[in-house]
Amino acid sequence: MDKKNNSLWFLLPLLAVFLAAGCSTVPKIAYLRDLPGEVPVRIQETQDLTLKPGDRLQISVFSRDRELSSMFNLYEGSGYGTYNSYTSGSYGSGNRGGGHPYTVDKNGEIEMPVLGRIKVSGKTRLEVADLIKYRLLAGQLLSDPTVQVEYFDMSFYALGEIGHTGRIAIPRDNVTIMEAIALAGDLTISGRRDNVMVLRTENGVQTPYFVDLTNPQSVYNSPVYYLQQNDMIYVEPTALKANQSTLMANQTRNPSFWMSSITSVISFYLFIRTFIDKQGKTAE
């Protein structure tokens, strides 16, 4: 091989180094990596949503005696004196059957017609329904009450590199973090799956939790495996995406920048070699 061509070989190790660096920035995009097939995995016990101050409920009381049961219902435009056949609306619609919602106050209570104040904080919707039914029977207000309690607008929030950002309605009593991400349209290809943050506010204190969605143990053992109302999911961008979105200050950290630079160096080298060769032939 010509000695002049051999001089190009010194560039190959440099090129290999930068190619390896570029490949190393490819993000891990597979969820629950190394999860064995057909092997049962123990997950946490189901955790239903429990009520907190500020939550809103749609409560409907039914009985064969419609006139009596109507006293315990709040309905739009009619106070609480008109019977309404309850129909469940879509999640996140902001209206669960055409009535007014009950808002849990700062003391964890709601106030119902006739029944007065009821402590609901820390209870599930089914526990609230049982409590109201007990109060109706104990006070001999209704002989055959049926109580239906629905969440009016429970939701979580999604930010960052995720399909749908903003407020996302919670469709049932228990939603896992994986289900929540599916509801939000999945992470984008530029979202970090190994460091998803969930911000949870309890008793006036906000706590960040970090979940590695590529690691089954991190997902199934996380305190935020089941989401609560008003949890906030934040997905940060990968280093590659962050670098690409940064201007010239961080441009040198972008693999595409280095590949372009290597191409330019090789082109310049070949130009110089050609120029030197021509000059040598002219001198001869």
Side-chain angles (χ1 to χ4, degrees):
M1 183 177 292
D2 191 279
K3 292 183 178 179
K4 295 178 180 177
N5 293 331
N6 283 340
S7 61
L8 290 175
W9 284 97
F10 85 94
L11 291 174
L12 293 181
L14 182 62
L15 180 60
V17 169
F18 286 115
L19 284 174
C23 294
S24 66
T25 62
V26 176
K28 297 178 181 179
I29 61 175
Y31 297 111
L32 305 177
R33 295 164 60 92
D34 303 322
L35 188 65
E38 300 182 5
V39 177
V41 177
R42 183 177 298 278
I43 62 175
Q44 299 178 33
E45 183 178 350
T46 301
Q47 298 176 14
D48 291 341
L49 296 176
T50 57
L51 292 166
K52 304 175 182 179
D55 290 342
R56 300 197 298 172
L57 295 171
Q58 182 74 58
I59 300 175
S60 297
V61 177
F62 303 98
S63 171
R64 283 193 297 255
D65 191 330
R66 295 189 175 187
E67 184 175 352
L68 282 177
S69 63
S70 67
M71 294 190 301
F72 305 100
N73 297 319
L74 290 177
Y75 296 118
E76 188 171 0
S78 60
Y80 52 90
T82 303
Y83 175 80
N84 183 6
S85 177
Y86 180 84
T87 56
S88 178
S90 61
Y91 287 96
S93 65
N95 193 323
R96 308 281 301 172
H100 292 292
Y102 291 90
T103 300
V104 183
D105 65 20
K106 64 181 180 179
N107 297 316
E109 299 176 334
I110 60 172
E111 185 170 4
M112 290 190 65
V114 183
L115 293 178
R117 304 190 70 80
I118 301 175
K119 185 76 171 182
V120 299
S121 181
K123 294 180 170 58
T124 67
R125 65 182 184 89
L126 297 181
E127 290 172 339
V128 173
D130 288 340
L131 177 58
I132 294 172
K133 183 176 181 178
Y134 171 79
R135 294 276 293 268
L136 292 170
L137 290 171
Q140 299 183 349
L141 299 171
L142 289 174
S143 61
D144 60 341
T146 297
V147 181
Q148 191 166 27
V149 177
E150 296 289 342
Y151 299 127
F152 193 81
D153 53 4
M154 292 296 195
S155 58
F156 65 92
Y157 296 86
L159 294 173
E161 294 294 325
I162 199 165
H164 308 301
T165 58
R167 179 176 172 271
I168 310 292
I170 293 177
R172 60 177 185 275
D173 294 319
N174 45 77
V175 172
T176 70
I177 186 172
M178 298 298 290
E179 292 169 333
I181 287 173
L183 289 170
D186 198 4
L187 274 62
T188 68
I189 196 66
S190 301
R192 282 192 63 180
R193 285 147 173 78
D194 60 347
N195 197 43
V196 174
M197 181 172 66
V198 178
L199 286 172
R200 174 168 293 175
T201 303
E202 295 179 296
N203 301 319
V205 178
Q206 191 171 70
T207 305
Y209 297 89
F210 296 91
V211 184
D212 181 354
L213 299 181
T214 70
N215 185 334
Q217 294 303 316
S218 177
V219 173
Y220 293 132
N221 295 331
S222 172
V224 292
Y225 177 69
Y226 287 104
L227 286 197
Q228 295 182 10
Q229 61 270 40
N230 300 319
D231 279 354
M232 182 174 293
I233 298 175
Y234 171 67
V235 182
E236 64 178 294
T238 61
L240 179 60
K241 174 63 179 294
N243 293 339
Q244 289 175 341
S245 63
T246 304
L247 297 178
M248 292 303 294
N250 286 332
Q251 187 64 26
T252 57
R253 297 174 62 187
N254 192 328
S256 61
F257 169 83
W258 287 106
M259 293 303 298
S260 176
S261 298
I262 291 172
T263 302
S264 299
V265 169
I266 294 174
S267 298
F268 180 73
Y269 174 80
L270 292 175
F271 171 78
I272 294 297
R273 291 299 305 175
T274 302
F275 177 78
I276 292 174
D277 289 345
K278 288 182 177 179
Q279 290 295 324
K281 291 179 179 179
T282 302
E284 292 174 357

